[in-house]
Amino acid sequence: MTEHRSIDSELIEALTAAGDPYLSCDDCFEQTDVAVESLLATDGHLDDPFRVHLLRCPACHDEAVSLAELIGPELGLTPTEATARLDAELVREGAP
Ligand SMILES: [Zn+2]
């Protein structure tokens, strides 16, 4: 079997190798509100465990995207800008 590795999977492996910051979906879900809002409101950054979980978990990623679309307009962003901000943060360079 030939292994095809994308940039994304290498990035995720690099991230998870650094201390294995992996949350359960429940833990992730509890943080989604606060994490997404503070990211969009303050130009802050997501916690690495949260970020890595979103990269690895399509369900929680969808949840975070929906939330970004919902609260973006409250913070002066269009839904598109809000989700772009979230996605940019997820693949941010220089992260541990
Ligand atoms: Zn999850």
Side-chain angles (χ1 to χ4, degrees):
M1 189 164 98
T2 310
E3 190 184 1
H4 290 285
R5 296 176 55 171
S6 69
I7 300 268
D8 278 351
S9 72
E10 284 180 13
L11 175 66
I12 291 166
E13 278 179 30
L15 289 170
T16 53
D20 192 23
Y22 192 70
L23 298 175
S24 71
C25 287
D26 281 350
D27 289 343
C28 181
F29 187 76
E30 281 178 14
Q31 296 182 28
T32 304
D33 274 16
V34 172
V36 171
E37 185 171 356
S38 74
L39 172 71
L40 297 178
T42 68
D43 272 359
H45 290 301
L46 299 176
D47 286 345
D48 287 319
F50 182 77
R51 219 169 116 252
V52 171
H53 186 91
L54 293 194
L55 284 169
R56 293 174 59 150
C57 181
C60 290
H61 179 257
D62 282 357
E63 182 70 31
V65 167
S66 301
L67 193 71
E69 289 175 340
L70 197 69
I71 64 179
E74 294 172 20
L75 301 167
L77 300 168
T78 66
T80 306
E81 287 169 339
T83 55
R85 177 96 178 79
L86 176 66
D87 281 340
E89 171 65 9
L90 292 181
V91 297
R92 156 166 71 92
E93 288 183 31

